[in-house]
Amino acid sequence: MRAVTNGDLDDLARGAAILGTGGGGDPYIGRLLAASAVREHGPVPLVALDELPDEAVVLPVAMLGAPTVMVEKLPSAEQIGLAARSLAGYLGKELTHIACAEAGGVNSLVPAVAAAQLGLPLVDADGMGRAFPELQMVLPTLYGIRATPMAYADEKGNRGILDTVDNHWAERLVRSAAIDMGCSAAISTFAMSGAQARESMVPGTLSLCAELGKLVRETRSVRAVAERLRGRTLFTGKVIDVARRTVTGFARGEARLSGLDTDSGSELVLRFQNEHLVAARDGSTLASVPDLICVLHTETSEAVTTETLRFGQRVTVIAAPADPRWHTEAGIELAGPRYFGYDIDPVGVSA
Amino acid sequence: MRAVTNGDLDDLARGAAILGTGGGGDPYIGRLLAASAVREHGPVPLVALDELPDEAVVLPVAMLGAPTVMVEKLPSAEQIGLAARSLAGYLGKELTHIACAEAGGVNSLVPAVAAAQLGLPLVDADGMGRAFPELQMVLPTLYGIRATPMAYADEKGNRGILDTVDNHWAERLVRSAAIDMGCSAAISTFAMSGAQARESMVPGTLSLCAELGKLVRETRSVRAVAERLRGRTLFTGKVIDVARRTVTGFARGEARLSGLDTDSGSELVLRFQNEHLVAARDGSTLASVPDLICVLHTETSEAVTTETLRFGQRVTVIAAPADPRWHTEAGIELAGPRYFGYDIDPVGVSA
């Protein structure tokens, strides 16, 4: 993939929503935003991570907030560009590349919107190889790269800059601002050099999203998706209950699935904070963060995001291994089950 | 008064706490901060409002938050300077003068700390002639002067810049940030030209604070204070109950006073949000915002701030007229009783 064109957006969004592990936003909204930007500004050149010059100025952009809100209050193209331009102005640096902070139906597409607006190329990579709910949960944090100075902006024109003593403080302050802004804000954060990006980001994520999306479109096979991600199927069932609340700026809750086919008679519980964190079958944990837990429609293999989960859906849950750096001690501390309040060791897919 | 010297600080803080109408911070803390700054950097030159050149770059600085917290978590001198310097950097302008946003035991002294640190003169004025709890409640708002770009900083080194579509949005966003920072933050806001300051600020506030403080020290007479402010005594009594909670970033609550002397048999209720908003005697309102309601120790005439009000204190409550611009329609809308949720017309002191 050498550019993001209008023809790529469907597959890109579809695949990104799978890697979003329930979060990262609705692919329909991501597609709408990117299609409009590409129509106006033309295709967005894509640059491989290993082609980045050391001295490149790379700026990841994303939407931050509760995806439950984002389906009603759509991000505006202006606020995405505003967040990027505000930070560029504050840094006093000429940006050379836009990047993707996390995979997800919205968050893999929003960087294309910013890149199109600013006339900059996009890096074929992301900051985690999946989606996670909190700002500091990106691999660059493990490499000591600072989230701030960062910028955030709403659709009304309000914007801010943060410069904090660590990445956890950045999360805390921007989360409150996003809540005030209506539980959704555009952010630009983790500005870094090309050398830093090559070291800390996950290469090829956008290409992988497009490939996964194409696979889904052509095969409609959950098994094919699981195999491409070197994962496995955890459970096939029907959604029988969703308890979901938008609190502390996140979509938090749990879903219960009643088993069908070979899983008949069993129950799977999914616990989520924007993203799926833990999957437990009849009380025993089958998979947990940092590994990927993805819920797909059994018939179509399209991803079901946590904000669109609802009673009666027939879904298949798969799990897939995260980037190995998430399985280091520091990675587990940053985004393992204990950080989210589950007193368990991480349950890996190959465990 | 041509400079703020160490010898002026006691009177200045004492008088400022009276104009603070219960808020604006504890004068003891204000004195400590300013004394240390003046000792280190020398006296702070004071400039009259009408001496300001049109093209001066005037920056008001203050502490924002709940005064209940500030008595335990003292502001640091560094955070005050940091807020001012952060904004100057963002504006890309050379500051020429520091100013005072509101009168108060801390907030009349904090600008002297910033001025001393930055080596700048201080303007003998303030933004309201009293204290009010919310950011947008300054006379410059009535003149269309924007609160943002503004900066805020905590004592840990976290800082931010806000640029909002109106002054109410600035209040909303900085309040949440201040809550995250521990219910107290240093801010620099309402940067303005000398011409704007001359038009929109209240002249001579710091001199008035020093004069009031001297009056208290020399006379210990509540009546003398009331006369100097062209106000009158509302009630003399004993505090019999204080219901105070630190919520939504403010010290909110009410105090009940049982009458003594000529007020024996009556009860006065004071309702406050950092500052005293309404005083009602036996159910009928005696005074309300925007006019000043000041609680003084009956014996010493020293101000009692809302966070230090407690059972058993013998106090005298006085009321005094606010700057006449607060009594315009726009002034009442900005800081009248209805804004604070009291369904009454303002009750003025001379009413």
Side-chain angles (χ1 to χ4, degrees):
Chain A
M1 220 177 155
R2 299 304 303 169
V4 177
T5 68
N6 235 322
D8 302 314
L9 296 176
D10 279 6
D11 285 345
L12 185 51
R14 182 181 284 124
I18 295 173
L19 291 183
T21 69
D26 188 305
Y28 178 71
I29 296 169
R31 267 196 303 257
L32 284 182
L33 285 167
S36 164
V38 169
R39 231 181 356 253
E40 186 176 345
H41 302 283
V44 176
L46 207 58
V47 176
L49 200 53
D50 59 15
E51 294 168 355
L52 275 181
D54 278 359
E55 66 285 4
V57 180
V58 181
L59 183 63
V61 300
M63 293 300 297
L64 176 138
T68 33
V69 164
M70 228 184 300
V71 293
E72 298 188 17
K73 185 170 90 90
L74 269 64
S76 80
E78 289 69 28
Q79 81 183 104
I80 297 163
L82 184 59
R85 280 191 299 268
S86 295
L87 190 62
Y90 184 78
L91 293 172
K93 283 184 185 170
E94 194 84 33
L95 302 178
T96 63
H97 296 78
I98 297 293
C100 175
E102 70 173 12
V106 165
N107 271 341
S108 291
L109 282 292
V110 153
V113 175
Q117 280 186 29
L118 277 68
L120 293 174
L122 183 60
V123 183
D124 186 5
D126 86 314
M128 48 186 113
R130 49 163 298 158
F132 272 126
E134 300 184 10
L135 180 77
Q136 75 281 5
M137 294 174 175
V138 292
L139 293 170
T141 292
L142 298 183
Y143 289 84
I145 298 171
R146 295 185 53 207
T148 67
M150 69 175 289
Y152 56 97
D154 71 11
E155 75 293 349
K156 293 172 280 293
N158 294 309
R159 59 192 198 271
I161 304 276
L162 285 173
D163 204 338
T164 58
V165 294
D166 62 36
N167 292 355
H168 284 270
W169 267 106
E171 158 65 23
R172 185 166 169 175
L173 291 168
V174 77
R175 189 68 52 182
S176 294
I179 291 171
D180 283 330
M181 289 172 159
C183 271
S184 154
I187 59 169
S188 60
T189 179
F190 287 97
M192 62 182 96
S193 69
Q196 288 176 313
R198 284 205 311 275
E199 178 182 54
S200 68
M201 297 189 84
V202 179
T205 304
L206 297 181
S207 292
L208 174 60
C209 290
E211 184 192 335
L212 280 173
K214 181 164 180 278
L215 190 66
V216 166
R217 174 168 50 82
E218 291 180 345
T219 70
R220 297 292 168 193
S221 159
V222 172
R223 177 190 295 267
V225 172
E227 279 174 5
R228 175 61 188 85
L229 296 175
R230 294 179 296 111
R232 62 184 173 85
T233 297
L234 295 183
F235 197 81
T236 299
K238 186 182 90 157
V239 179
I240 57 168
D241 191 40
V242 181
R244 183 176 45 220
R245 296 183 308 151
T246 302
V247 284
T248 67
F250 298 102
R252 291 176 182 267
E254 61 175 54
R256 287 193 300 130
L257 278 56
S258 175
L260 294 174
D261 305 335
T262 54
D263 294 313
S264 186
S266 278
E267 185 173 290
L268 190 82
V269 175
L270 293 164
R271 298 199 167 81
F272 54 84
Q273 175 184 340
N274 290 7
E275 283 77 31
H276 294 295
L277 305 176
V278 171
R281 178 188 179 127
D282 302 329
S284 82
T285 306
L286 290 188
S288 78
V289 279
D291 280 350
L292 287 69
I293 299 169
C294 315
V295 178
L296 309 180
H297 282 287
T298 302
E299 285 300 306
T300 64
S301 301
E302 301 269 352
V304 186
T305 56
T306 52
E307 76 274 17
T308 56
L309 262 178
R310 62 171 188 272
F311 178 86
Q313 286 168 333
R314 264 67 172 173
V315 298
T316 298
V317 182
I318 67 171
D323 185 288
R325 291 170 286 184
W326 284 118
H327 284 282
T328 59
E329 197 176 323
I332 298 293
E333 193 183 333
L334 193 58
R338 287 202 167 77
Y339 179 87
F340 293 101
Y342 301 101
D343 193 20
I344 54 171
D345 288 325
V347 180
V349 181
S350 49
Chain B
M1 218 177 156
R2 299 304 306 168
V4 177
T5 67
N6 235 323
D8 302 313
L9 297 176
D10 279 6
D11 285 345
L12 185 51
R14 183 182 283 123
I18 295 174
L19 291 183
T21 69
D26 188 306
Y28 177 71
I29 296 169
R31 267 196 304 259
L32 283 182
L33 284 166
S36 165
V38 170
R39 232 183 354 254
E40 185 176 345
H41 303 282
V44 176
L46 207 58
V47 175
L49 200 54
D50 59 14
E51 294 168 355
L52 275 180
D54 279 358
E55 65 286 4
V57 180
V58 180
L59 184 63
V61 300
M63 292 300 297
L64 176 138
T68 33
V69 164
M70 227 183 302
V71 293
E72 298 189 16
K73 184 170 92 90
L74 269 64
S76 80
E78 289 70 29
Q79 81 184 105
I80 297 163
L82 183 59
R85 278 191 298 268
S86 295
L87 190 63
Y90 184 77
L91 294 172
K93 284 183 183 171
E94 193 84 33
L95 302 178
T96 63
H97 296 78
I98 297 294
C100 176
E102 71 172 11
V106 165
N107 271 341
S108 291
L109 283 291
V110 153
V113 175
Q117 280 186 27
L118 277 68
L120 293 175
L122 183 59
V123 183
D124 185 6
D126 86 314
M128 49 186 113
R130 48 164 299 159
F132 272 127
E134 300 185 9
L135 180 77
Q136 74 282 5
M137 294 174 176
V138 293
L139 294 170
T141 293
L142 299 184
Y143 289 84
I145 299 172
R146 296 184 53 206
T148 67
M150 70 174 289
Y152 56 97
D154 72 10
E155 76 291 352
K156 293 173 280 293
N158 294 309
R159 60 192 198 271
I161 305 276
L162 285 173
D163 204 337
T164 59
V165 294
D166 63 36
N167 293 355
H168 284 270
W169 268 105
E171 158 65 24
R172 185 166 169 176
L173 290 167
V174 76
R175 189 68 52 182
S176 294
I179 291 171
D180 283 330
M181 288 172 160
C183 271
S184 155
I187 59 169
S188 60
T189 179
F190 286 96
M192 61 182 97
S193 69
Q196 287 176 312
R198 283 205 312 276
E199 178 182 55
S200 68
M201 298 189 83
V202 179
T205 305
L206 297 181
S207 292
L208 174 59
C209 291
E211 184 191 337
L212 281 174
K214 180 164 180 278
L215 190 66
V216 167
R217 174 168 50 82
E218 290 180 347
T219 70
R220 296 293 168 192
S221 159
V222 172
R223 177 190 296 266
V225 172
E227 278 172 5
R228 176 61 188 84
L229 296 175
R230 295 178 298 111
R232 61 182 174 85
T233 296
L234 295 183
F235 196 82
T236 298
K238 186 182 92 158
V239 179
I240 58 169
D241 191 41
V242 181
R244 183 176 45 219
R245 296 182 309 150
T246 302
V247 283
T248 67
F250 299 102
R252 291 177 183 268
E254 61 175 55
R256 287 193 300 129
L257 278 56
S258 175
L260 296 174
D261 306 333
T262 55
D263 295 312
S264 187
S266 279
E267 185 173 290
L268 189 83
V269 175
L270 293 164
R271 298 198 167 83
F272 55 83
Q273 175 185 339
N274 288 8
E275 283 76 32
H276 294 295
L277 305 176
V278 171
R281 178 189 180 126
D282 302 329
S284 82
T285 306
L286 291 188
S288 78
V289 278
D291 279 350
L292 287 67
I293 299 169
C294 315
V295 179
L296 309 180
H297 283 286
T298 302
E299 285 300 306
T300 64
S301 301
E302 301 269 353
V304 185
T305 56
T306 51
E307 76 274 16
T308 56
L309 263 177
R310 63 171 187 272
F311 178 87
Q313 285 168 333
R314 264 67 171 174
V315 298
T316 298
V317 182
I318 67 171
D323 185 286
R325 292 170 285 184
W326 284 118
H327 284 281
T328 60
E329 198 177 320
I332 298 293
E333 193 183 332
L334 193 59
R338 287 204 166 77
Y339 180 88
F340 293 102
Y342 301 101
D343 193 21
I344 54 171
D345 290 324
V347 180
V349 179
S350 49

